[in-house]
Amino acid sequence: MHMFVYRGHRLQEVGGTGRGSTHSSHQATDYRSHANYWKQVGKGTEMLSNKVGKQLGHPTYSLTGWFVTKFLKWHNLILEENAVKLSNIQPNDTVLELGHGPGFGLQEASQLLMGPRGKLLGVDYSQYMHQMASKRMQEQISRGKAVLYYSDLVNMPIEENTVDKAFHCNCYYYWPDLKAGSKAIHRVMKPGGIMVTTLRLDSLKKASSLGVLTGDKWKPEVYMEALESSGFTDVRMENKREKLIKFQAIFSTAVK
């Protein structure tokens, strides 16, 4: 007869006889069942984290997509408002929002483009977000003051050297290729054009620890290096605060 004992948090088989070995065998079975249970929980948590991460980057028509949309409204509103504010938008600027989501930032920016030449552009590769934002911006679109594109970043159908200001929040870490994305933005910017990126670094660190964000693309320094290598200068990150909420803003200027 054999029995199993715990040694150093590991289950080991040792010799034994009598009822004690039977009892220990039950312990071993319970231990294996317990370990298997937590293994399955771990797999389930990983699958959920991956699913949420994908929905955050590319929301779709689904229950998870609906929850993600509500989360974006709650979590991103201050970031959107401040990205617009920090962009120093002028009435006749051409302004581009990248990964516009439900359209909260577009709404904010449109209120500042009151000049006759002021124009707002938006790009998002989620059809769900594109349709939500198009509905929200219907009036501006009908007046020719806004144009929204259902497109990925690299292939956005925007002419070179046409954008004065660009902004985005909580999206660069979902780009498949940071350098390709940065080059695509640089292509459409006018010389001296300004881009502002807003984020909450503490939230990104938490998302990374939970497995919602993987790799190192979420790290600001990786993104900033991609900007610099793509033709942006004066790339810097500043700590900001709004309504007791701390966030970060990354500034960059297109040089051509």
Side-chain angles (χ1 to χ4, degrees), residues 172-232:
Y172 69 81
Y173 24 86
Y174 296 115
W175 301 348
D177 187 323
L178 281 179
K179 290 187 177 180
S182 298
K183 288 178 180 178
I185 300 169
H186 185 267
R187 178 186 68 81
V188 304
M189 300 292 293
K190 292 180 180 179
I194 303 296
M195 182 166 69
V196 176
T197 306
T198 53
L199 59 128
R200 291 180 64 183
L201 188 54
D202 56 347
S203 296
L204 298 186
K205 290 179 179 178
K206 183 66 173 179
S208 176
S209 70
L210 293 173
V212 176
L213 294 176
T214 58
D216 62 358
K217 286 196 298 185
W218 63 270
K219 297 179 179 178
E221 60 268 26
V222 177
Y223 169 61
M224 293 167 73
E225 191 280 327
L227 291 177
E228 290 178 338
S229 67
S230 301
F232 287 92

Side-chain angles (χ1 to χ4, degrees), residues 99-126:
H100 55 64
F104 305 121
L106 295 172
Q107 274 188 325
E108 288 290 320
S110 68
Q111 299 175 32
L112 303 175
L113 296 171
M114 295 303 180
R117 297 187 305 278
K119 192 167 187 178
L120 182 61
L121 307 174
V123 175
D124 204 301
Y125 82 136
S126 164

Side-chain angles (χ1 to χ4, degrees), residues 30-50:
D30 291 343
Y31 177 85
R32 286 194 294 267
S33 298
H34 186 71
N36 185 62
Y37 168 78
W38 284 111
K39 183 177 181 180
Q40 295 304 317
V41 169
K43 287 183 178 179
T45 302
E46 182 179 2
M47 290 175 62
L48 180 61
S49 295
N50 290 336

Side-chain angles (χ1 to χ4, degrees), residues 34-92:
H34 186 71
N36 185 62
Y37 168 78
W38 284 111
K39 183 177 181 180
Q40 295 304 317
V41 169
K43 287 183 178 179
T45 302
E46 182 179 2
M47 290 175 62
L48 180 61
S49 295
N50 290 336
K51 187 172 183 179
V52 171
K54 289 179 181 178
Q55 284 290 333
L56 284 169
H58 187 204
T60 59
Y61 290 101
S62 65
L63 180 61
T64 308
W66 181 83
F67 277 115
V68 164
T69 302
K70 296 299 182 182
F71 170 80
L72 291 176
K73 181 177 181 179
W74 168 76
H75 189 267
N76 283 4
L77 191 56
I78 285 181
L79 293 180
E80 294 270 11
E81 291 174 347
N82 279 278
V84 171
K85 185 188 304 182
L86 295 170
S87 294
N88 190 29
I89 294 171
Q90 301 302 305
N92 287 306

Side-chain angles (χ1 to χ4, degrees), residues 126-161:
S126 164
Q127 185 178 23
Y128 184 27
M129 293 293 99
H130 172 73
Q131 292 179 352
M132 286 188 68
S134 295
K135 185 176 181 180
R136 178 169 275 109
M137 301 298 295
Q138 186 174 4
E139 180 185 349
Q140 292 87 343
I141 292 172
S142 65
R143 292 192 290 110
K145 295 291 288 183
V147 179
L148 306 186
Y149 298 101
Y150 170 42
S151 169
D152 61 64
L153 185 61
V154 173
N155 297 304
M156 56 183 170
I158 298 175
E159 295 183 10
E160 295 182 9
N161 305 319

